[in-house]
Amino acid sequence: MARQARAIQTRKSILLAAAEVFDERGYSTATITEIIARAGVTKGALYFHFTSKEDLALGVIAAQLELGPLPPQRTKLQELADQGLLFAHQLQHDPLTRASVGLAMDQWSESAESAESSNPFHGRPFQSWADRLTGLLVEARGRGELLPHVDPAETAELLSGSFTGIQWTSQVLCQRRDLTRRVISMFRHLLPTIAMPQILPTLELTPDRAVSLLASRDAALEGEDAPADEEYDAAAEGASASEAGTAWEPDTAPTRVREGSAAPEGEGSAA
């Protein structure tokens, strides 16, 4: 068991080192030697877990996509918004996510003489995210949350493309420090064009939403032995107590809007 735990930790260390190097240097110029030095492992240890630089990049992408289970929400559109807010948070705080996005956007040289010097992952993480959004939108349509004209795949492509441009702009201007605010603004402009009107007041788009989701997920993982209903209620209560932003309307008092309730009145801004 101790040997297995060490192997798991070694693999995590290698992935984190690879993510940092890919994020700093790009896939094409990153080297196995640099990743080994950053991870503080031997060449044999690295090749025990990963067969090549390409295999390492695939590991980084897979690790970034493994967010773990998130608390289920009353609407699939809330879960879609949660994906975007969580993605923004991870880009600000998680090197694996930043590296994955870098692999998605890093163009390879057309003059590259070998496959090793090119980037075979260009666009892949964003396509994976678009596929995930498409699945959520299909479910939302089946539950009557979408306007009749909405095409799930087309909308997912629009959301993914918009997010890509927003995160890149935020990165260039301020190292993504304002990314959450920009993503909330994106959702406030786009969701009214796809959501049934009665859904909009129930959506929570708050700056600390991602932190609350992660806290709820961690609490759920720690209490896996608890009954499912009690576990979800505890997570929801924790999220309600910790949220300090507003719900859908930009000019509302800090409160949580429940489905089927009227939108609150007051002043303030979540953005």
Side-chain angles (χ1 to χ4, degrees):
M1 294 297 293
R3 180 178 299 177
Q4 182 180 11
R6 287 197 299 271
I8 292 172
Q9 184 57 50
T10 297
R11 190 177 190 276
K12 288 181 178 179
S13 298
I14 294 170
L15 280 175
L16 182 58
E20 292 173 348
V21 174
F22 288 147
D23 185 37
E24 295 167 8
R25 299 176 57 80
Y27 178 82
S28 300
T29 56
T31 66
I32 290 289
T33 300
E34 187 173 4
I35 293 170
I36 289 172
R38 183 76 61 95
V41 301
T42 64
K43 182 180 292 187
L46 185 142
Y47 281 110
F48 175 81
H49 292 280
F50 302 98
T51 60
S52 63
K53 186 171 76 170
E54 180 174 334
D55 194 27
L56 258 174
L58 283 171
V60 169
I61 293 171
Q64 183 267 317
L65 292 174
E66 293 173 0
L67 296 174
L70 292 176
Q73 304 299 320
R74 285 181 170 81
T75 65
K76 289 300 173 180
L77 284 181
Q78 180 65 67
E79 293 181 15
L80 180 142
D82 288 347
Q83 291 283 342
L85 292 170
L86 186 58
F87 198 1
H89 177 81
Q90 297 292 83
L91 277 169
Q92 293 171 312
H93 302 285
D94 178 33
L96 286 169
T97 303
R98 289 195 296 271
S100 182
V101 168
L103 290 168
M105 302 185 70
D106 183 20
Q107 289 277 14
W108 63 87
S109 172
E110 294 182 359
S111 62
E113 297 180 357
S114 68
E116 182 67 17
S117 62
S118 65
N119 174 11
F121 311 102
H122 181 71
R124 184 178 299 186
F126 283 118
Q127 185 59 54
S128 296
W129 192 46
D131 292 342
R132 183 182 299 178
L133 296 183
T134 299
L136 285 171
L137 287 164
V138 168
E139 292 185 71
R141 182 179 60 185
R143 295 171 59 161
E145 298 176 20
L146 301 183
L147 294 169
H149 70 274
V150 175
D151 178 86
E154 183 180 78
T155 303
E157 290 178 355
L158 175 63
L159 286 168
S160 179
S162 299
F163 187 97
T164 302
I166 285 171
Q167 70 86 21
W168 182 249
T169 299
S170 181
Q171 164 67 10
V172 170
L173 294 180
C174 61
Q175 297 295 305
R176 297 193 179 101
R177 287 190 297 273
D178 66 352
L179 181 56
T180 296
R181 177 187 64 79
R182 290 176 181 270
V183 170
I184 289 173
S185 178
M186 177 192 74
F187 279 129
R188 283 189 173 143
H189 282 81
L190 294 183
L191 286 175
T193 69
I194 68 170
M196 294 294 287
Q198 64 269 28
I199 298 295
L200 294 176
T202 73
L203 300 178
E204 295 182 40
L205 300 173
T206 56
D208 61 347
R209 174 78 180 168
V211 175
S212 296
L213 286 168
L214 291 174
S216 297
R217 182 197 65 183
D218 293 344
L221 291 174
E222 291 177 0
E224 285 181 339
D225 294 333
D229 291 342
E230 294 179 9
E231 183 178 334
Y232 176 70
D233 290 342
E237 290 173 7
S240 297
S242 63
E243 288 170 1
T246 69
W248 170 259
E249 295 295 338
D251 296 321
T252 58
T255 186
R256 183 185 179 102
V257 180
R258 300 291 186 182
E259 185 174 6
S261 63
E265 297 181 358
E267 297 181 359
S269 174

